Every structure is written in structure tokens, then in C-alpha cells.
Amino acid sequence: MELTSEFKMKDLGIMHYFVELEVWKIPIEILLSQGKYIVKLFEIFGMIEYKSLATPMEMNFKKLC
């Protein structure tokens, strides 16, 4: 059964932005990002001019489970 025969539907084309997520479709993957949302938050809180800081992280971490 086709969804279009059961429900009234409209093709809006390829999705680019949905509920604060940016969506990119490449041949074998779909990528999701919240970059635009984060920039908007930085602007709201006046942090757009802040510089990034490296966060120390253990390399080759192996979870013990």
C-alpha cells in the first residue's frame, strides 16, 4: 500500500532545515548538524566573539564494559 493513496501528502522536495537541525544529503549519507542553532545561541548570549579553547581528551580511550 502506498502512503499517498492512504493519506493526503505533498512533496516539498529535499529537506534542508528541520527543528533546529540542518540536513545535508550526499550520495550515500544524510548528515545532520546543529551549527546554525549554536551560532544563534552564541548571538543571543553575546558570546559570538569568544574564542574556542582546546579541551583535553584522552587519546585511544577504551570503554571498559
Side-chain angles (χ1 to χ4, degrees):
M1 177 184 347
E2 295 266 336
L3 285 176
T4 53
S5 65
E6 189 68 27
F7 301 99
K8 211 173 184 184
M9 299 177 87
K10 183 176 182 181
D11 184 3
L12 299 175
I14 297 172
M15 180 177 14
H16 296 287
Y17 195 71
F18 180 73
V19 190
E20 304 297 346
L21 286 173
E22 294 172 83
V23 181
W24 293 284
K25 185 174 184 265
I26 59 175
I28 60 170
E29 297 176 316
I30 295 176
L31 304 173
L32 302 175
S33 171
Q34 289 185 305
K36 191 173 180 180
Y37 176 66
I38 297 301
V39 169
K40 187 169 35 169
L41 283 178
F42 283 174
E43 289 172 349
I44 289 169
F45 290 103
M47 298 172 65
I48 203 73
E49 298 297 323
Y50 283 26
K51 294 182 178 155
S52 63
L53 178 67
T55 304
M57 183 175 201
E58 183 178 338
M59 299 299 289
N60 302 316
F61 176 76
K62 292 190 172 133
K63 188 175 176 184
L64 302 172
C65 283

